[in-house]
Amino acid sequence: MEQTTFKPLKIERNKDEGLYITWELGKPAKLITSEMLRRACPCANCREERGDKSHSTPLTPKRSMLTVVSHTRNEQLELSEIWGVGNYALGVRWGDGHDDGIYTFNLLAELSDRS
């Protein structure tokens, strides 16, 4: 079964709201909220926090779970920076410095359908 790969035509960042993505193939532009993006962060640490145990045995030692500096909700949801990762994904840096997740275009299209 062949999987459709969605490609964005235009990506607009709004630091406070989220991403507006206009898609190829006639998929309408929709807002993917910052909160939705952050909750769906695909990095191993965030997936484990959501209960996904597929990354519970890392190849490298885990980072300390000790939180030295806490961040506000606004910092956690602020889209500080986005960048392209190859021709298939976006990297995101959040206001609290978190930037480990790589959001594939297919994941973003799925999130767009949910909004």
Side-chain angles (χ1 to χ4, degrees), residues 37-58:
L37 282 168
R38 186 66 188 246
R39 287 182 187 268
C41 178
C43 81
N45 190 43
C46 290
R47 288 174 57 180
E48 188 174 345
E49 285 177 10
R50 290 191 304 266
D52 181 344
K53 300 297 180 196
S54 64
H55 290 79
S56 59
T57 311

mmCIF file with all atom_site columns, all heavy atoms in Angstrom, residues 37-58:
data_model
loop_
_atom_site.group_PDB
_atom_site.id
_atom_site.type_symbol
_atom_site.label_atom_id
_atom_site.label_alt_id
_atom_site.label_comp_id
_atom_site.label_asym_id
_atom_site.label_entity_id
_atom_site.label_seq_id
_atom_site.pdbx_PDB_ins_code
_atom_site.Cartn_x
_atom_site.Cartn_y
_atom_site.Cartn_z
_atom_site.occupancy
_atom_site.B_iso_or_equiv
_atom_site.pdbx_formal_charge
_atom_site.auth_seq_id
_atom_site.auth_comp_id
_atom_site.auth_asym_id
_atom_site.auth_atom_id
_atom_site.pdbx_PDB_model_num
ATOM 1   N N   . LEU A 1 37 ? 0.721  21.166 18.346 1.00 0.00 ? 37 LEU A N   1
ATOM 2   C CA  . LEU A 1 37 ? 2.071  20.784 17.920 1.00 0.00 ? 37 LEU A CA  1
ATOM 3   C C   . LEU A 1 37 ? 2.898  20.275 19.089 1.00 0.00 ? 37 LEU A C   1
ATOM 4   O O   . LEU A 1 37 ? 3.585  19.252 18.979 1.00 0.00 ? 37 LEU A O   1
ATOM 5   C CB  . LEU A 1 37 ? 2.784  21.986 17.284 1.00 0.00 ? 37 LEU A CB  1
ATOM 6   C CG  . LEU A 1 37 ? 2.409  22.350 15.871 1.00 0.00 ? 37 LEU A CG  1
ATOM 7   C CD1 . LEU A 1 37 ? 2.981  23.713 15.510 1.00 0.00 ? 37 LEU A CD1 1
ATOM 8   C CD2 . LEU A 1 37 ? 2.898  21.300 14.897 1.00 0.00 ? 37 LEU A CD2 1
ATOM 9   N N   . ARG A 1 38 ? 2.859  20.995 20.195 1.00 0.00 ? 38 ARG A N   1
ATOM 10  C CA  . ARG A 1 38 ? 3.677  20.613 21.350 1.00 0.00 ? 38 ARG A CA  1
ATOM 11  C C   . ARG A 1 38 ? 3.221  19.279 21.927 1.00 0.00 ? 38 ARG A C   1
ATOM 12  O O   . ARG A 1 38 ? 4.031  18.426 22.281 1.00 0.00 ? 38 ARG A O   1
ATOM 13  C CB  . ARG A 1 38 ? 3.632  21.709 22.419 1.00 0.00 ? 38 ARG A CB  1
ATOM 14  C CG  . ARG A 1 38 ? 4.561  21.473 23.605 1.00 0.00 ? 38 ARG A CG  1
ATOM 15  C CD  . ARG A 1 38 ? 6.040  21.533 23.168 1.00 0.00 ? 38 ARG A CD  1
ATOM 16  N NE  . ARG A 1 38 ? 6.932  21.138 24.218 1.00 0.00 ? 38 ARG A NE  1
ATOM 17  C CZ  . ARG A 1 38 ? 7.798  21.949 24.814 1.00 0.00 ? 38 ARG A CZ  1
ATOM 18  N NH1 . ARG A 1 38 ? 7.906  23.214 24.451 1.00 0.00 ? 38 ARG A NH1 1
ATOM 19  N NH2 . ARG A 1 38 ? 8.591  21.508 25.758 1.00 0.00 ? 38 ARG A NH2 1
ATOM 20  N N   . ARG A 1 39 ? 1.910  19.073 22.011 1.00 0.00 ? 39 ARG A N   1
ATOM 21  C CA  . ARG A 1 39 ? 1.388  17.796 22.530 1.00 0.00 ? 39 ARG A CA  1
ATOM 22  C C   . ARG A 1 39 ? 1.760  16.616 21.638 1.00 0.00 ? 39 ARG A C   1
ATOM 23  O O   . ARG A 1 39 ? 1.846  15.494 22.110 1.00 0.00 ? 39 ARG A O   1
ATOM 24  C CB  . ARG A 1 39 ? -0.124 17.857 22.691 1.00 0.00 ? 39 ARG A CB  1
ATOM 25  C CG  . ARG A 1 39 ? -0.585 18.700 23.841 1.00 0.00 ? 39 ARG A CG  1
ATOM 26  C CD  . ARG A 1 39 ? -2.104 18.667 23.956 1.00 0.00 ? 39 ARG A CD  1
ATOM 27  N NE  . ARG A 1 39 ? -2.587 19.583 24.941 1.00 0.00 ? 39 ARG A NE  1
ATOM 28  C CZ  . ARG A 1 39 ? -2.805 19.264 26.216 1.00 0.00 ? 39 ARG A CZ  1
ATOM 29  N NH1 . ARG A 1 39 ? -2.572 18.039 26.621 1.00 0.00 ? 39 ARG A NH1 1
ATOM 30  N NH2 . ARG A 1 39 ? -3.248 20.169 27.059 1.00 0.00 ? 39 ARG A NH2 1
ATOM 31  N N   . ALA A 1 40 ? 1.966  16.878 20.353 1.00 0.00 ? 40 ALA A N   1
ATOM 32  C CA  . ALA A 1 40 ? 2.297  15.813 19.405 1.00 0.00 ? 40 ALA A CA  1
ATOM 33  C C   . ALA A 1 40 ? 3.788  15.728 19.114 1.00 0.00 ? 40 ALA A C   1
ATOM 34  O O   . ALA A 1 40 ? 4.185  15.051 18.172 1.00 0.00 ? 40 ALA A O   1
ATOM 35  C CB  . ALA A 1 40 ? 1.537  16.038 18.098 1.00 0.00 ? 40 ALA A CB  1
ATOM 36  N N   . CYS A 1 41 ? 4.612  16.387 19.920 1.00 0.00 ? 41 CYS A N   1
ATOM 37  C CA  . CYS A 1 41 ? 6.056  16.379 19.671 1.00 0.00 ? 41 CYS A CA  1
ATOM 38  C C   . CYS A 1 41 ? 6.530  14.935 19.483 1.00 0.00 ? 41 CYS A C   1
ATOM 39  O O   . CYS A 1 41 ? 6.318  14.086 20.349 1.00 0.00 ? 41 CYS A O   1
ATOM 40  C CB  . CYS A 1 41 ? 6.815  17.047 20.818 1.00 0.00 ? 41 CYS A CB  1
ATOM 41  S SG  . CYS A 1 41 ? 8.615  17.007 20.562 1.00 0.00 ? 41 CYS A SG  1
ATOM 42  N N   . PRO A 1 42 ? 7.175  14.665 18.346 1.00 0.00 ? 42 PRO A N   1
ATOM 43  C CA  . PRO A 1 42 ? 7.572  13.290 18.048 1.00 0.00 ? 42 PRO A CA  1
ATOM 44  C C   . PRO A 1 42 ? 8.927  12.864 18.615 1.00 0.00 ? 42 PRO A C   1
ATOM 45  O O   . PRO A 1 42 ? 9.389  11.757 18.317 1.00 0.00 ? 42 PRO A O   1
ATOM 46  C CB  . PRO A 1 42 ? 7.600  13.282 16.514 1.00 0.00 ? 42 PRO A CB  1
ATOM 47  C CG  . PRO A 1 42 ? 7.947  14.680 16.148 1.00 0.00 ? 42 PRO A CG  1
ATOM 48  C CD  . PRO A 1 42 ? 7.331  15.551 17.208 1.00 0.00 ? 42 PRO A CD  1
ATOM 49  N N   . CYS A 1 43 ? 9.568  13.698 19.442 1.00 0.00 ? 43 CYS A N   1
ATOM 50  C CA  . CYS A 1 43 ? 10.877 13.280 19.973 1.00 0.00 ? 43 CYS A CA  1
ATOM 51  C C   . CYS A 1 43 ? 10.691 12.122 20.958 1.00 0.00 ? 43 CYS A C   1
ATOM 52  O O   . CYS A 1 43 ? 9.608  11.917 21.524 1.00 0.00 ? 43 CYS A O   1
ATOM 53  C CB  . CYS A 1 43 ? 11.602 14.455 20.627 1.00 0.00 ? 43 CYS A CB  1
ATOM 54  S SG  . CYS A 1 43 ? 11.094 14.855 22.310 1.00 0.00 ? 43 CYS A SG  1
ATOM 55  N N   . ALA A 1 44 ? 11.734 11.358 21.164 1.00 0.00 ? 44 ALA A N   1
ATOM 56  C CA  . ALA A 1 44 ? 11.671 10.172 22.016 1.00 0.00 ? 44 ALA A CA  1
ATOM 57  C C   . ALA A 1 44 ? 11.259 10.507 23.444 1.00 0.00 ? 44 ALA A C   1
ATOM 58  O O   . ALA A 1 44 ? 10.462 9.786  24.046 1.00 0.00 ? 44 ALA A O   1
ATOM 59  C CB  . ALA A 1 44 ? 13.022 9.457  22.013 1.00 0.00 ? 44 ALA A CB  1
ATOM 60  N N   . ASN A 1 45 ? 11.777 11.592 23.992 1.00 0.00 ? 45 ASN A N   1
ATOM 61  C CA  . ASN A 1 45 ? 11.460 11.965 25.369 1.00 0.00 ? 45 ASN A CA  1
ATOM 62  C C   . ASN A 1 45 ? 9.968  12.280 25.527 1.00 0.00 ? 45 ASN A C   1
ATOM 63  O O   . ASN A 1 45 ? 9.319  11.810 26.458 1.00 0.00 ? 45 ASN A O   1
ATOM 64  C CB  . ASN A 1 45 ? 12.318 13.152 25.807 1.00 0.00 ? 45 ASN A CB  1
ATOM 65  C CG  . ASN A 1 45 ? 12.207 13.416 27.294 1.00 0.00 ? 45 ASN A CG  1
ATOM 66  O OD1 . ASN A 1 45 ? 12.216 12.496 28.091 1.00 0.00 ? 45 ASN A OD1 1
ATOM 67  N ND2 . ASN A 1 45 ? 12.101 14.678 27.653 1.00 0.00 ? 45 ASN A ND2 1
ATOM 68  N N   . CYS A 1 46 ? 9.432  13.085 24.615 1.00 0.00 ? 46 CYS A N   1
ATOM 69  C CA  . CYS A 1 46 ? 8.010  13.448 24.697 1.00 0.00 ? 46 CYS A CA  1
ATOM 70  C C   . CYS A 1 46 ? 7.118  12.228 24.450 1.00 0.00 ? 46 CYS A C   1
ATOM 71  O O   . CYS A 1 46 ? 6.087  12.069 25.104 1.00 0.00 ? 46 CYS A O   1
ATOM 72  C CB  . CYS A 1 46 ? 7.677  14.558 23.704 1.00 0.00 ? 46 CYS A CB  1
ATOM 73  S SG  . CYS A 1 46 ? 8.392  16.161 24.144 1.00 0.00 ? 46 CYS A SG  1
ATOM 74  N N   . ARG A 1 47 ? 7.524  11.370 23.519 1.00 0.00 ? 47 ARG A N   1
ATOM 75  C CA  . ARG A 1 47 ? 6.739  10.148 23.272 1.00 0.00 ? 47 ARG A CA  1
ATOM 76  C C   . ARG A 1 47 ? 6.717  9.273  24.521 1.00 0.00 ? 47 ARG A C   1
ATOM 77  O O   . ARG A 1 47 ? 5.684  8.712  24.868 1.00 0.00 ? 47 ARG A O   1
ATOM 78  C CB  . ARG A 1 47 ? 7.325  9.385  22.090 1.00 0.00 ? 47 ARG A CB  1
ATOM 79  C CG  . ARG A 1 47 ? 7.044  10.105 20.765 1.00 0.00 ? 47 ARG A CG  1
ATOM 80  C CD  . ARG A 1 47 ? 7.729  9.467  19.608 1.00 0.00 ? 47 ARG A CD  1
ATOM 81  N NE  . ARG A 1 47 ? 7.360  8.070  19.483 1.00 0.00 ? 47 ARG A NE  1
ATOM 82  C CZ  . ARG A 1 47 ? 7.825  7.275  18.546 1.00 0.00 ? 47 ARG A CZ  1
ATOM 83  N NH1 . ARG A 1 47 ? 8.673  7.729  17.646 1.00 0.00 ? 47 ARG A NH1 1
ATOM 84  N NH2 . ARG A 1 47 ? 7.460  6.018  18.491 1.00 0.00 ? 47 ARG A NH2 1
ATOM 85  N N   . GLU A 1 48 ? 7.845  9.167  25.199 1.00 0.00 ? 48 GLU A N   1
ATOM 86  C CA  . GLU A 1 48 ? 7.896  8.366  26.422 1.00 0.00 ? 48 GLU A CA  1
ATOM 87  C C   . GLU A 1 48 ? 7.006  8.977  27.505 1.00 0.00 ? 48 GLU A C   1
ATOM 88  O O   . GLU A 1 48 ? 6.305  8.259  28.211 1.00 0.00 ? 48 GLU A O   1
ATOM 89  C CB  . GLU A 1 48 ? 9.330  8.238  26.919 1.00 0.00 ? 48 GLU A CB  1
ATOM 90  C CG  . GLU A 1 48 ? 9.463  7.272  28.075 1.00 0.00 ? 48 GLU A CG  1
ATOM 91  C CD  . GLU A 1 48 ? 10.904 7.025  28.476 1.00 0.00 ? 48 GLU A CD  1
ATOM 92  O OE1 . GLU A 1 48 ? 11.831 7.359  27.710 1.00 0.00 ? 48 GLU A OE1 1
ATOM 93  O OE2 . GLU A 1 48 ? 11.110 6.496  29.580 1.00 0.00 ? 48 GLU A OE2 1
ATOM 94  N N   . GLU A 1 49 ? 7.008  10.312 27.609 1.00 0.00 ? 49 GLU A N   1
ATOM 95  C CA  . GLU A 1 49 ? 6.146  10.976 28.593 1.00 0.00 ? 49 GLU A CA  1
ATOM 96  C C   . GLU A 1 49 ? 4.672  10.703 28.317 1.00 0.00 ? 49 GLU A C   1
ATOM 97  O O   . GLU A 1 49 ? 3.857  10.678 29.233 1.00 0.00 ? 49 GLU A O   1
ATOM 98  C CB  . GLU A 1 49 ? 6.394  12.483 28.599 1.00 0.00 ? 49 GLU A CB  1
ATOM 99  C CG  . GLU A 1 49 ? 7.692  12.869 29.271 1.00 0.00 ? 49 GLU A CG  1
ATOM 100 C CD  . GLU A 1 49 ? 7.964  14.362 29.212 1.00 0.00 ? 49 GLU A CD  1
ATOM 101 O OE1 . GLU A 1 49 ? 7.059  15.138 28.807 1.00 0.00 ? 49 GLU A OE1 1
ATOM 102 O OE2 . GLU A 1 49 ? 9.084  14.761 29.563 1.00 0.00 ? 49 GLU A OE2 1
ATOM 103 N N   . ARG A 1 50 ? 4.322  10.492 27.032 1.00 0.00 ? 50 ARG A N   1
ATOM 104 C CA  . ARG A 1 50 ? 2.933  10.178 26.666 1.00 0.00 ? 50 ARG A CA  1
ATOM 105 C C   . ARG A 1 50 ? 2.621  8.696  26.809 1.00 0.00 ? 50 ARG A C   1
ATOM 106 O O   . ARG A 1 50 ? 1.528  8.260  26.488 1.00 0.00 ? 50 ARG A O   1
ATOM 107 C CB  . ARG A 1 50 ? 2.656  10.629 25.230 1.00 0.00 ? 50 ARG A CB  1
ATOM 108 C CG  . ARG A 1 50 ? 2.615  12.126 25.054 1.00 0.00 ? 50 ARG A CG  1
ATOM 109 C CD  . ARG A 1 50 ? 2.070  12.541 23.691 1.00 0.00 ? 50 ARG A CD  1
ATOM 110 N NE  . ARG A 1 50 ? 2.773  11.992 22.556 1.00 0.00 ? 50 ARG A NE  1
ATOM 111 C CZ  . ARG A 1 50 ? 3.773  12.594 21.907 1.00 0.00 ? 50 ARG A CZ  1
ATOM 112 N NH1 . ARG A 1 50 ? 4.199  13.782 22.309 1.00 0.00 ? 50 ARG A NH1 1
ATOM 113 N NH2 . ARG A 1 50 ? 4.343  12.039 20.870 1.00 0.00 ? 50 ARG A NH2 1
ATOM 114 N N   . GLY A 1 51 ? 3.605  7.892  27.252 1.00 0.00 ? 51 GLY A N   1
ATOM 115 C CA  . GLY A 1 51 ? 3.365  6.470  27.487 1.00 0.00 ? 51 GLY A CA  1
ATOM 116 C C   . GLY A 1 51 ? 3.900  5.533  26.428 1.00 0.00 ? 51 GLY A C   1
ATOM 117 O O   . GLY A 1 51 ? 3.736  4.327  26.534 1.00 0.00 ? 51 GLY A O   1
ATOM 118 N N   . ASP A 1 52 ? 4.558  6.046  25.403 1.00 0.00 ? 52 ASP A N   1
ATOM 119 C CA  . ASP A 1 52 ? 5.145  5.222  24.355 1.00 0.00 ? 52 ASP A CA  1
ATOM 120 C C   . ASP A 1 52 ? 6.447  4.624  24.895 1.00 0.00 ? 52 ASP A C   1
ATOM 121 O O   . ASP A 1 52 ? 7.395  5.340  25.173 1.00 0.00 ? 52 ASP A O   1
ATOM 122 C CB  . ASP A 1 52 ? 5.419  6.072  23.117 1.00 0.00 ? 52 ASP A CB  1
ATOM 123 C CG  . ASP A 1 52 ? 6.013  5.289  21.954 1.00 0.00 ? 52 ASP A CG  1
ATOM 124 O OD1 . ASP A 1 52 ? 6.498  4.160  22.150 1.00 0.00 ? 52 ASP A OD1 1
ATOM 125 O OD2 . ASP A 1 52 ? 5.991  5.830  20.833 1.00 0.00 ? 52 ASP A OD2 1
ATOM 126 N N   . LYS A 1 53 ? 6.491  3.302  25.038 1.00 0.00 ? 53 LYS A N   1
ATOM 127 C CA  . LYS A 1 53 ? 7.667  2.638  25.607 1.00 0.00 ? 53 LYS A CA  1
ATOM 128 C C   . LYS A 1 53 ? 8.648  2.144  24.542 1.00 0.00 ? 53 LYS A C   1
ATOM 129 O O   . LYS A 1 53 ? 9.629  1.482  24.854 1.00 0.00 ? 53 LYS A O   1
ATOM 130 C CB  . LYS A 1 53 ? 7.232  1.455  26.479 1.00 0.00 ? 53 LYS A CB  1
ATOM 131 C CG  . LYS A 1 53 ? 6.335  1.857  27.641 1.00 0.00 ? 53 LYS A CG  1
ATOM 132 C CD  . LYS A 1 53 ? 7.053  2.764  28.595 1.00 0.00 ? 53 LYS A CD  1
ATOM 133 C CE  . LYS A 1 53 ? 6.155  3.150  29.752 1.00 0.00 ? 53 LYS A CE  1
ATOM 134 N NZ  . LYS A 1 53 ? 6.625  4.277  30.492 1.00 0.00 ? 53 LYS A NZ  1
ATOM 135 N N   . SER A 1 54 ? 8.425  2.481  23.264 1.00 0.00 ? 54 SER A N   1
ATOM 136 C CA  . SER A 1 54 ? 9.299  1.989  22.202 1.00 0.00 ? 54 SER A CA  1
ATOM 137 C C   . SER A 1 54 ? 10.702 2.594  22.270 1.00 0.00 ? 54 SER A C   1
ATOM 138 O O   . SER A 1 54 ? 11.618 2.089  21.645 1.00 0.00 ? 54 SER A O   1
ATOM 139 C CB  . SER A 1 54 ? 8.680  2.265  20.827 1.00 0.00 ? 54 SER A CB  1
ATOM 140 O OG  . SER A 1 54 ? 8.568  3.649  20.600 1.00 0.00 ? 54 SER A OG  1
ATOM 141 N N   . HIS A 1 55 ? 10.880 3.660  23.037 1.00 0.00 ? 55 HIS A N   1
ATOM 142 C CA  . HIS A 1 55 ? 12.195 4.283  23.189 1.00 0.00 ? 55 HIS A CA  1
ATOM 143 C C   . HIS A 1 55 ? 12.683 4.202  24.636 1.00 0.00 ? 55 HIS A C   1
ATOM 144 O O   . HIS A 1 55 ? 13.517 4.980  25.053 1.00 0.00 ? 55 HIS A O   1
ATOM 145 C CB  . HIS A 1 55 ? 12.147 5.755  22.762 1.00 0.00 ? 55 HIS A CB  1
ATOM 146 C CG  . HIS A 1 55 ? 11.984 5.931  21.297 1.00 0.00 ? 55 HIS A CG  1
ATOM 147 N ND1 . HIS A 1 55 ? 10.779 5.792  20.667 1.00 0.00 ? 55 HIS A ND1 1
ATOM 148 C CD2 . HIS A 1 55 ? 12.880 6.209  20.328 1.00 0.00 ? 55 HIS A CD2 1
ATOM 149 C CE1 . HIS A 1 55 ? 10.936 5.997  19.377 1.00 0.00 ? 55 HIS A CE1 1
ATOM 150 N NE2 . HIS A 1 55 ? 12.199 6.247  19.145 1.00 0.00 ? 55 HIS A NE2 1
ATOM 151 N N   . SER A 1 56 ? 12.184 3.245  25.393 1.00 0.00 ? 56 SER A N   1
ATOM 152 C CA  . SER A 1 56 ? 12.521 3.192  26.817 1.00 0.00 ? 56 SER A CA  1
ATOM 153 C C   . SER A 1 56 ? 13.911 2.636  27.091 1.00 0.00 ? 56 SER A C   1
ATOM 154 O O   . SER A 1 56 ? 14.398 2.720  28.201 1.00 0.00 ? 56 SER A O   1
ATOM 155 C CB  . SER A 1 56 ? 11.466 2.388  27.580 1.00 0.00 ? 56 SER A CB  1
ATOM 156 O OG  . SER A 1 56 ? 11.387 1.077  27.076 1.00 0.00 ? 56 SER A OG  1
ATOM 157 N N   . THR A 1 57 ? 14.574 2.065  26.092 1.00 0.00 ? 57 THR A N   1
ATOM 158 C CA  . THR A 1 57 ? 15.943 1.589  26.252 1.00 0.00 ? 57 THR A CA  1
ATOM 159 C C   . THR A 1 57 ? 16.837 2.352  25.290 1.00 0.00 ? 57 THR A C   1
ATOM 160 O O   . THR A 1 57 ? 17.147 1.879  24.205 1.00 0.00 ? 57 THR A O   1
ATOM 161 C CB  . THR A 1 57 ? 16.035 0.070  25.981 1.00 0.00 ? 57 THR A CB  1
ATOM 162 O OG1 . THR A 1 57 ? 15.021 -0.586 26.721 1.00 0.00 ? 57 THR A OG1 1
ATOM 163 C CG2 . THR A 1 57 ? 17.385 -0.471 26.382 1.00 0.00 ? 57 THR A CG2 1
ATOM 164 N N   . PRO A 1 58 ? 17.236 3.570  25.660 1.00 0.00 ? 58 PRO A N   1
ATOM 165 C CA  . PRO A 1 58 ? 18.024 4.395  24.742 1.00 0.00 ? 58 PRO A CA  1
ATOM 166 C C   . PRO A 1 58 ? 19.438 3.876  24.555 1.00 0.00 ? 58 PRO A C   1
ATOM 167 O O   . PRO A 1 58 ? 19.963 3.146  25.394 1.00 0.00 ? 58 PRO A O   1
ATOM 168 C CB  . PRO A 1 58 ? 18.031 5.761  25.432 1.00 0.00 ? 58 PRO A CB  1
ATOM 169 C CG  . PRO A 1 58 ? 17.841 5.451  26.874 1.00 0.00 ? 58 PRO A CG  1
ATOM 170 C CD  . PRO A 1 58 ? 16.996 4.211  26.935 1.00 0.00 ? 58 PRO A CD  1
#
